Coordinates of all heavy atoms in Angstrom, one line a residue:
M1 N -14.0 -6.0 7.3 CA -14.7 -4.8 7.9 C -15.0 -3.8 6.8 O -14.2 -3.5 5.9 CB -13.7 -4.2 8.9 CG -14.2 -2.9 9.5 SD -13.1 -2.1 10.6 CE -12.8 -3.3 11.9
P2 N -16.2 -3.3 6.7 CA -16.6 -2.3 5.7 C -15.7 -1.1 5.8 O -15.3 -0.7 6.9 CB -18.1 -2.0 6.0 CG -18.5 -3.1 6.9 CD -17.3 -3.6 7.6
E3 N -15.5 -0.4 4.7 CA -14.6 0.7 4.6 C -15.1 1.9 5.5 O -14.3 2.6 6.1 CB -14.6 1.3 3.2 CG -13.2 1.3 2.6 CD -13.2 1.9 1.2 OE1 -13.3 3.1 1.1 OE2 -13.1 1.1 0.3
S4 N -16.4 2.0 5.7 CA -16.9 3.1 6.5 C -16.7 3.0 8.0 O -16.8 3.9 8.7 CB -18.4 3.3 6.2 OG -19.1 2.1 6.6
L5 N -16.4 1.7 8.4 CA -16.1 1.5 9.8 C -14.6 1.5 10.1 O -14.3 1.4 11.3 CB -16.7 0.1 10.2 CG -18.2 0.0 10.1 CD1 -18.6 -1.4 10.5 CD2 -18.9 1.0 10.9
V6 N -13.8 1.7 9.1 CA -12.3 1.8 9.4 C -12.0 3.1 10.1 O -12.5 4.2 9.6 CB -11.5 1.7 8.1 CG1 -10.1 1.8 8.3 CG2 -11.8 0.3 7.4
V7 N -11.3 3.1 11.2 CA -11.0 4.3 11.9 C -10.1 5.2 11.1 O -9.1 4.7 10.5 CB -10.3 3.9 13.3 CG1 -9.9 5.2 14.0 CG2 -11.3 3.1 14.1
G8 N -10.3 6.4 11.1 CA -9.5 7.4 10.4 C -9.9 7.8 9.0 O -9.3 8.7 8.5
L9 N -10.9 7.2 8.4 CA -11.4 7.6 7.1 C -12.2 8.9 7.3 O -13.0 9.0 8.2 CB -12.3 6.5 6.5 CG -11.6 5.3 5.9 CD1 -12.6 4.4 5.3 CD2 -10.6 5.7 4.8
P10 N -12.0 9.8 6.4 CA -12.7 11.1 6.5 C -14.2 10.9 6.4 O -14.7 10.1 5.6 CB -12.1 11.9 5.4 CG -10.8 11.3 5.1 CD -10.9 9.9 5.4
K11 N -14.9 11.6 7.2 CA -16.4 11.6 7.1 C -17.0 12.9 6.6 O -18.2 13.0 6.4 CB -17.0 11.3 8.5 CG -16.6 10.0 9.1 CD -17.1 9.7 10.5 CE -16.8 8.4 11.0 NZ -15.4 8.3 11.5
S12 N -16.1 13.9 6.3 CA -16.5 15.1 5.7 C -15.4 15.7 5.0 O -14.2 15.3 5.1 CB -17.0 16.1 6.9 OG -15.9 16.3 7.8
R13 N -15.7 16.8 4.2 CA -14.7 17.5 3.5 C -15.1 18.9 3.3 O -16.2 19.3 3.3 CB -14.4 16.8 2.1 CG -15.5 17.1 1.1 CD -15.1 16.5 -0.2 NE -16.2 16.6 -1.1 CZ -16.2 16.2 -2.4 NH1 -15.2 15.7 -2.9 NH2 -17.3 16.4 -3.1
V14 N -14.0 19.8 3.1 CA -14.2 21.2 2.8 C -13.4 21.5 1.6 O -12.2 21.1 1.5 CB -13.7 22.0 4.0 CG1 -13.7 23.5 3.6 CG2 -14.6 21.8 5.2
V15 N -14.0 22.0 0.6 CA -13.3 22.3 -0.7 C -13.0 23.8 -0.7 O -13.9 24.7 -0.6 CB -14.1 21.9 -1.9 CG1 -13.4 22.3 -3.2 CG2 -14.4 20.4 -1.9
V16 N -11.7 24.2 -0.9 CA -11.3 25.6 -0.9 C -10.8 25.9 -2.3 O -9.9 25.2 -2.8 CB -10.2 25.9 0.1 CG1 -9.8 27.3 0.1 CG2 -10.7 25.5 1.5
D17 N -11.3 27.0 -2.9 CA -10.7 27.5 -4.1 C -9.6 28.4 -3.8 O -9.7 29.6 -3.4 CB -11.8 28.3 -4.9 CG -11.3 28.8 -6.2 OD1 -10.1 28.9 -6.5 OD2 -12.2 29.2 -7.0
A18 N -8.4 27.9 -3.8 CA -7.2 28.6 -3.4 C -6.9 29.9 -4.1 O -6.4 30.8 -3.5 CB -5.9 27.7 -3.5
E19 N -7.4 30.0 -5.3 CA -7.1 31.2 -6.1 C -8.1 32.3 -5.7 O -7.8 33.5 -5.9 CB -7.3 30.9 -7.6 CG -6.2 30.0 -8.1 CD -4.8 30.5 -7.8 OE1 -4.5 31.7 -7.9 OE2 -3.9 29.6 -7.5
R20 N -9.2 32.0 -5.1 CA -10.1 33.1 -4.6 C -9.8 33.5 -3.2 O -10.2 34.6 -2.7 CB -11.6 32.6 -4.6 CG -12.1 32.3 -6.0 CD -13.5 32.0 -5.9 NE -14.3 33.2 -6.1 CZ -15.6 33.3 -6.3 NH1 -16.3 32.2 -6.2 NH2 -16.2 34.4 -6.5
C21 N -9.1 32.7 -2.4 CA -8.8 32.9 -1.0 C -7.7 34.0 -0.9 O -6.7 34.0 -1.5 CB -8.3 31.6 -0.4 SG -7.9 31.8 1.4
K22 N -8.0 35.0 0.0 CA -7.1 36.1 0.2 C -6.4 35.9 1.6 O -5.7 36.8 2.1 CB -7.7 37.4 0.1 CG -8.8 37.7 1.2 CD -9.4 39.0 1.0 CE -10.4 39.3 2.1 NZ -11.3 40.4 1.9
G23 N -6.6 34.8 2.2 CA -5.9 34.5 3.5 C -6.3 35.4 4.6 O -5.5 35.7 5.5
C24 N -7.6 35.8 4.7 CA -8.1 36.7 5.7 C -8.1 36.1 7.1 O -8.2 36.8 8.1 CB -9.4 37.3 5.4 SG -10.8 36.1 5.4
D25 N -8.1 34.7 7.2 CA -8.0 34.0 8.4 C -9.4 33.9 9.2 O -9.4 33.3 10.2 CB -7.0 34.7 9.3 CG -6.3 33.7 10.3 OD1 -6.2 32.5 9.9 OD2 -5.9 34.1 11.4
L26 N -10.5 34.4 8.6 CA -11.8 34.3 9.3 C -12.2 32.9 9.5 O -12.7 32.5 10.5 CB -12.8 35.1 8.5 CG -12.7 36.6 8.5 CD1 -13.7 37.3 7.6 CD2 -12.8 37.2 9.9
C27 N -12.1 32.1 8.5 CA -12.5 30.7 8.6 C -11.6 29.9 9.5 O -12.1 29.0 10.2 CB -12.5 30.0 7.2 SG -10.9 30.0 6.4
V28 N -10.3 30.2 9.6 CA -9.4 29.5 10.5 C -9.8 29.8 11.9 O -9.9 28.9 12.8 CB -8.0 30.0 10.2 CG1 -7.0 29.4 11.3 CG2 -7.5 29.7 8.8
V29 N -10.2 31.1 12.2 CA -10.6 31.4 13.6 C -11.9 30.8 14.0 O -12.1 30.4 15.1 CB -10.6 33.0 13.7 CG1 -11.2 33.4 15.0 CG2 -9.2 33.6 13.5
V30 N -12.9 30.8 13.0 CA -14.2 30.3 13.4 C -14.3 28.8 13.5 O -15.2 28.3 14.1 CB -15.3 30.9 12.4 CG1 -15.2 30.1 11.1 CG2 -16.6 30.9 13.0
C31 N -13.4 28.0 12.9 CA -13.5 26.6 12.9 C -13.3 26.0 14.3 O -12.3 26.1 14.9 CB -12.4 26.0 12.0 SG -12.5 24.2 11.9
P32 N -14.4 25.4 14.8 CA -14.3 24.9 16.2 C -13.3 23.7 16.4 O -12.8 23.5 17.5 CB -15.7 24.4 16.5 CG -16.4 24.2 15.2 CD -15.7 25.1 14.2
Q33 N -13.0 23.0 15.3 CA -12.2 21.8 15.4 C -10.7 22.1 14.9 O -9.9 21.3 14.9 CB -12.7 20.7 14.6 CG -14.1 20.2 15.0 CD -14.2 19.7 16.4 OE1 -14.1 20.5 17.3 NE2 -14.3 18.4 16.5
R34 N -10.5 23.3 14.4 CA -9.2 23.8 13.9 C -8.7 22.9 12.7 O -7.6 22.5 12.7 CB -8.1 23.8 15.0 CG -8.5 24.6 16.2 CD -8.5 26.1 15.8 NE -8.8 26.9 17.0 CZ -9.9 27.7 17.1 NH1 -10.8 27.6 16.1 NH2 -10.1 28.4 18.1
N35 N -9.6 22.7 11.8 CA -9.3 21.9 10.6 C -8.8 22.8 9.4 O -8.4 22.2 8.4 CB -10.6 21.2 10.1 CG -11.1 20.2 11.1 OD1 -12.0 20.6 11.9 ND2 -10.5 19.1 11.2
L36 N -8.8 24.1 9.6 CA -8.2 24.9 8.5 C -7.0 25.6 9.0 O -6.9 26.0 10.2 CB -9.3 26.0 8.1 CG -10.6 25.4 7.6 CD1 -11.7 26.4 7.5 CD2 -10.4 24.8 6.2
H37 N -6.1 25.8 8.1 CA -4.8 26.6 8.4 C -4.4 27.3 7.2 O -4.7 26.9 6.0 CB -3.8 25.6 9.0 CG -3.2 24.6 7.9 ND1 -3.9 23.5 7.6 CD2 -2.2 24.7 7.2 CE1 -3.2 22.8 6.7 NE2 -2.2 23.5 6.4
L38 N -3.6 28.3 7.3 CA -3.0 29.0 6.2 C -1.8 28.3 5.6 O -1.0 27.8 6.3 CB -2.6 30.4 6.6 CG -3.7 31.4 7.0 CD1 -3.1 32.7 7.4 CD2 -4.7 31.6 5.9
S39 N -1.8 28.2 4.3 CA -0.8 27.5 3.6 C 0.5 28.3 3.6 O 0.5 29.5 3.8 CB -1.2 27.3 2.2 OG -0.2 26.7 1.4
E40 N 1.6 27.6 3.4 CA 2.9 28.3 3.3 C 3.1 28.7 1.9 O 4.0 29.6 1.7 CB 4.0 27.3 3.8 CG 4.0 27.1 5.3 CD 5.2 26.2 5.7 OE1 6.2 26.1 5.0 OE2 5.1 25.7 6.8
R41 N 2.4 28.2 1.0 CA 2.6 28.6 -0.5 C 1.7 29.8 -0.8 O 0.8 30.1 0.0 CB 2.2 27.4 -1.4 CG 0.8 27.0 -1.4 CD 0.5 25.9 -2.4 NE -0.9 25.6 -2.4 CZ -1.8 26.3 -3.1 NH1 -1.4 27.3 -3.8 NH2 -3.1 25.9 -3.0
F42 N 2.0 30.4 -1.9 CA 1.2 31.6 -2.3 C 0.3 31.2 -3.5 O 0.6 30.3 -4.3 CB 2.2 32.7 -2.8 CG 3.0 33.3 -1.7 CD1 4.3 32.8 -1.6 CD2 2.5 34.2 -0.9 CE1 5.1 33.4 -0.6 CE2 3.3 34.8 0.1 CZ 4.6 34.3 0.3
N43 N -0.8 31.9 -3.6 CA -1.7 31.8 -4.8 C -1.3 32.8 -5.8 O -0.3 33.5 -5.6 CB -3.2 31.8 -4.4 CG -3.6 33.2 -3.8 OD1 -2.9 34.2 -3.9 ND2 -4.8 33.2 -3.2
R44 N -2.0 32.9 -6.9 CA -1.6 33.8 -8.0 C -1.6 35.3 -7.6 O -0.9 36.1 -8.1 CB -2.5 33.7 -9.2 CG -2.2 32.4 -10.0 CD -3.0 32.4 -11.2 NE -4.4 32.3 -10.8 CZ -5.5 32.6 -11.6 NH1 -5.3 32.9 -12.8 NH2 -6.7 32.4 -11.2
M45 N -2.4 35.6 -6.6 CA -2.6 37.0 -6.1 C -1.5 37.3 -5.0 O -1.5 38.4 -4.5 CB -4.0 37.2 -5.6 CG -5.1 37.0 -6.6 SD -4.9 38.1 -8.0 CE -5.4 39.6 -7.3
G46 N -0.8 36.4 -4.6 CA 0.3 36.6 -3.6 C -0.2 36.4 -2.2 O 0.5 36.8 -1.2
Y47 N -1.3 35.7 -2.0 CA -1.9 35.5 -0.6 C -1.6 34.0 -0.3 O -1.4 33.1 -1.1 CB -3.4 35.7 -0.6 CG -3.8 37.1 -0.9 CD1 -4.6 37.3 -2.0 CD2 -3.5 38.1 0.0 CE1 -5.1 38.6 -2.3 CE2 -4.0 39.4 -0.3 CZ -4.7 39.6 -1.4 OH -5.2 40.9 -1.7
H48 N -1.5 33.8 1.0 CA -1.4 32.4 1.6 C -2.8 31.9 1.7 O -3.6 32.3 2.6 CB -0.8 32.4 3.0 CG 0.7 32.8 3.0 ND1 1.7 31.9 2.6 CD2 1.3 34.0 3.2 CE1 2.8 32.5 2.7 NE2 2.6 33.8 3.1
P49 N -3.2 31.0 0.8 CA -4.6 30.5 0.9 C -4.8 29.5 2.0 O -3.8 28.9 2.6 CB -4.8 29.7 -0.4 CG -3.4 29.3 -0.8 CD -2.5 30.4 -0.3
V50 N -6.0 29.2 2.4 CA -6.4 28.3 3.4 C -6.3 26.9 2.9 O -6.6 26.6 1.7 CB -7.8 28.6 4.0 CG1 -8.4 27.5 4.8 CG2 -7.8 29.9 4.8
E51 N -5.9 26.0 3.8 CA -5.9 24.5 3.4 C -6.7 23.8 4.5 O -6.8 24.2 5.6 CB -4.5 24.0 3.4 CG -3.6 24.5 2.3 CD -2.2 23.9 2.2 OE1 -1.8 23.4 3.3 OE2 -1.6 24.0 1.2
F52 N -7.4 22.7 4.0 CA -8.2 21.9 4.9 C -7.5 20.6 5.2 O -6.8 20.0 4.4 CB -9.5 21.6 4.2 CG -10.3 20.5 4.8 CD1 -11.0 20.8 6.0 CD2 -10.4 19.3 4.3 CE1 -11.8 19.9 6.6 CE2 -11.2 18.3 4.9 CZ -11.9 18.6 6.1
R53 N -7.6 20.2 6.5 CA -7.2 18.9 6.9 C -8.3 18.3 7.7 O -8.9 19.0 8.6 CB -5.9 18.9 7.6 CG -5.9 19.8 8.9 CD -4.6 19.8 9.6 NE -4.6 20.7 10.7 CZ -3.9 21.8 10.8 NH1 -3.0 22.1 9.8 NH2 -4.0 22.6 11.8
Y54 N -8.6 17.1 7.5 CA -9.8 16.4 8.2 C -9.5 16.3 9.7 O -10.4 16.6 10.5 CB -10.1 15.1 7.5 CG -11.1 14.3 8.3 CD1 -12.5 14.8 8.3 CD2 -10.8 13.2 9.0 CE1 -13.4 14.1 9.0 CE2 -11.8 12.5 9.7 CZ -13.1 13.0 9.7 OH -14.1 12.3 10.4
H55 N -8.3 15.9 10.0 CA -8.0 15.7 11.5 C -7.4 17.1 11.9 O -6.3 17.4 11.6 CB -7.0 14.6 11.7 CG -7.4 13.3 11.2 ND1 -8.5 12.6 11.8 CD2 -7.1 12.5 10.1 CE1 -8.7 11.5 11.1 NE2 -7.8 11.4 10.1
G56 N -8.2 17.8 12.7 CA -7.8 19.1 13.1 C -7.2 19.1 14.5 O -7.0 18.1 15.1
G57 N -6.8 20.3 15.0 CA -6.2 20.4 16.3 C -7.1 20.0 17.4 O -6.6 19.7 18.5
R58 N -8.4 20.1 17.2 CA -9.3 19.8 18.3 C -10.2 18.6 17.9 O -11.2 18.3 18.6 CB -10.2 21.0 18.7 CG -9.4 22.1 19.3 CD -10.4 23.2 19.7 NE -9.6 24.3 20.3 CZ -10.1 25.5 20.5 NH1 -11.4 25.7 20.1 NH2 -9.4 26.4 21.0
G59 N -10.0 18.0 16.8 CA -10.8 16.8 16.4 C -11.0 16.8 14.9 O -10.5 17.6 14.2
D60 N -11.9 15.9 14.5 CA -12.2 15.7 13.1 C -13.3 16.7 12.7 O -14.1 17.1 13.5 CB -12.8 14.3 12.9 CG -11.7 13.2 13.2 OD1 -10.5 13.5 13.2 OD2 -12.1 12.1 13.4
C61 N -13.2 17.0 11.4 CA -14.2 18.0 10.8 C -15.6 17.4 11.0 O -15.9 16.2 10.7 CB -13.9 18.2 9.4 SG -15.1 19.3 8.5
T62 N -16.6 18.2 11.4 CA -17.9 17.8 11.5 C -18.8 18.3 10.4 O -20.1 18.1 10.4 CB -18.5 18.3 12.9 OG1 -18.5 19.7 12.9 CG2 -17.7 17.7 14.1
A63 N -18.3 19.0 9.5 CA -19.0 19.7 8.4 C -20.1 20.6 8.9 O -21.2 20.7 8.4 CB -19.6 18.6 7.5
C64 N -19.7 21.4 9.9 CA -20.7 22.3 10.5 C -21.0 23.5 9.6 O -22.1 24.1 9.7 CB -20.1 22.9 11.8 SG -18.7 24.0 11.7
G65 N -20.1 23.8 8.7 CA -20.4 24.9 7.7 C -20.0 26.3 8.1 O -20.2 27.2 7.3
L66 N -19.5 26.5 9.3 CA -19.2 27.8 9.8 C -18.2 28.5 8.9 O -18.3 29.7 8.6 CB -18.7 27.8 11.2 CG -19.7 27.5 12.3 CD1 -19.0 27.3 13.6 CD2 -20.8 28.5 12.4
C67 N -17.2 27.8 8.4 CA -16.2 28.3 7.5 C -16.8 28.8 6.2 O -16.5 29.9 5.7 CB -15.1 27.3 7.2 SG -15.7 25.8 6.5
Y68 N -17.8 28.1 5.7 CA -18.5 28.5 4.4 C -19.2 29.8 4.6 O -19.1 30.7 3.8 CB -19.4 27.3 4.1 CG -20.3 27.6 2.9 CD1 -19.8 27.4 1.6 CD2 -21.6 28.1 3.0 CE1 -20.6 27.6 0.5 CE2 -22.4 28.4 1.9 CZ -21.8 28.1 0.6 OH -22.6 28.4 -0.5
W69 N -19.9 29.9 5.7 CA -20.7 31.1 5.9 C -19.9 32.3 6.3 O -20.4 33.5 6.0 CB -21.8 30.8 7.0 CG -22.8 29.8 6.6 CD1 -22.9 28.5 7.0 CD2 -23.8 30.0 5.5 NE1 -23.9 27.9 6.3 CE2 -24.5 28.8 5.4 CE3 -24.2 31.1 4.7 CZ2 -25.5 28.6 4.5 CZ3 -25.2 30.9 3.8 CH2 -25.9 29.7 3.7
V70 N -18.8 32.2 6.8 CA -18.0 33.4 7.2 C -17.1 33.9 6.1 O -16.6 35.0 6.2 CB -17.2 33.1 8.5 CG1 -16.0 32.2 8.2 CG2 -16.8 34.3 9.2
C71 N -16.8 33.1 5.1 CA -15.9 33.5 4.0 C -16.4 34.6 3.2 O -17.4 34.5 2.5 CB -15.5 32.3 3.1 SG -14.4 32.7 1.8
P72 N -15.8 35.8 3.2 CA -16.3 36.9 2.4 C -16.0 36.8 0.9 O -16.6 37.6 0.1 CB -15.5 38.1 3.0 CG -14.3 37.5 3.5 CD -14.6 36.1 4.0
D73 N -15.2 35.9 0.5 CA -14.8 35.8 -0.9 C -15.3 34.6 -1.6 O -14.9 34.3 -2.7 CB -13.3 35.9 -1.0 CG -12.7 37.2 -0.5 OD1 -13.1 38.2 -1.0 OD2 -11.8 37.1 0.4
F74 N -16.2 33.8 -0.9 CA -16.8 32.6 -1.5 C -15.7 31.6 -1.9 O -15.8 30.9 -2.9 CB -17.7 32.9 -2.6 CG -18.8 33.9 -2.2 CD1 -18.7 35.2 -2.6 CD2 -19.9 33.5 -1.5 CE1 -19.7 36.2 -2.2 CE2 -20.8 34.4 -1.1 CZ -20.7 35.7 -1.5
A75 N -14.6 31.6 -1.2 CA -13.4 30.7 -1.5 C -13.7 29.3 -1.0 O -13.1 28.4 -1.6 CB -12.1 31.3 -0.9
I76 N -14.5 29.2 0.0 CA -14.9 27.8 0.4 C -16.2 27.5 -0.4 O -17.3 28.0 -0.2 CB -15.2 27.8 1.9 CG1 -13.8 28.2 2.6 CG2 -15.7 26.4 2.4 CD1 -13.8 28.1 4.1
T77 N -15.9 26.6 -1.3 CA -17.0 26.3 -2.3 C -17.9 25.1 -1.9 O -19.0 25.0 -2.4 CB -16.4 26.0 -3.7 OG1 -15.5 24.9 -3.6 CG2 -15.6 27.2 -4.2
E78 N -17.4 24.3 -1.0 CA -18.2 23.1 -0.6 C -17.9 22.7 0.8 O -16.7 22.6 1.2 CB -18.0 22.0 -1.6 CG -18.8 20.7 -1.2 CD -18.5 19.6 -2.2 OE1 -17.9 19.8 -3.3 OE2 -18.9 18.5 -1.9
V79 N -18.9 22.4 1.6 CA -18.7 21.7 2.9 C -19.7 20.5 2.9 O -20.9 20.8 2.7 CB -19.0 22.6 4.1 CG1 -18.9 21.9 5.4 CG2 -18.0 23.8 4.1
S80 N -19.2 19.3 3.0 CA -20.1 18.2 2.9 C -19.7 17.0 3.8 O -18.6 16.9 4.1 CB -20.2 17.7 1.4 OG -19.0 17.3 1.0
R81 N -20.7 16.3 4.1 CA -20.5 15.0 4.8 C -20.4 13.9 3.8 O -21.2 13.9 2.9 CB -21.6 14.7 5.8 CG -21.7 15.7 6.9 CD -22.9 15.4 7.8 NE -23.1 16.6 8.6 CZ -23.0 16.6 10.0 NH1 -22.7 15.5 10.6 NH2 -23.2 17.7 10.6
L82 N -19.4 13.1 4.0 CA -19.2 12.0 3.0 C -20.1 10.8 3.4 O -20.4 10.6 4.6 CB -17.8 11.6 3.0 CG -16.8 12.7 2.6 CD1 -15.4 12.2 2.6 CD2 -17.1 13.2 1.2
R83 N -20.5 10.0 2.5 CA -21.4 8.9 2.8 C -20.6 7.9 3.6 O -19.5 7.6 3.4 CB -21.8 8.2 1.5 CG -22.8 9.1 0.7 CD -23.2 8.4 -0.5 NE -24.1 9.3 -1.3 CZ -25.1 8.9 -1.9 NH1 -25.5 7.6 -1.9 NH2 -25.9 9.7 -2.6
P84 N -21.3 7.3 4.6 CA -20.7 6.3 5.4 C -20.3 5.0 4.7 O -20.8 4.7 3.6 CB -21.7 6.0 6.5 CG -23.0 6.5 6.0 CD -22.7 7.5 5.0

């Protein structure tokens, strides 16, 4: 079976620059699939940065880009669909 047809392989990704993230929670709230959450660890500035997980609380990431557009600190540097 080709790798792209294996169930569970990520089809998208979100790249977060943890050092730029101030943990404002805007991207967490706007994500329709609940793929973003605040980390328990701290960044250099003392904030809990956002972390991405492909399998969210309401489903898999669709790479809609809402998190990218709502981030005031440009901490979400990439939202992309991965090749099948």
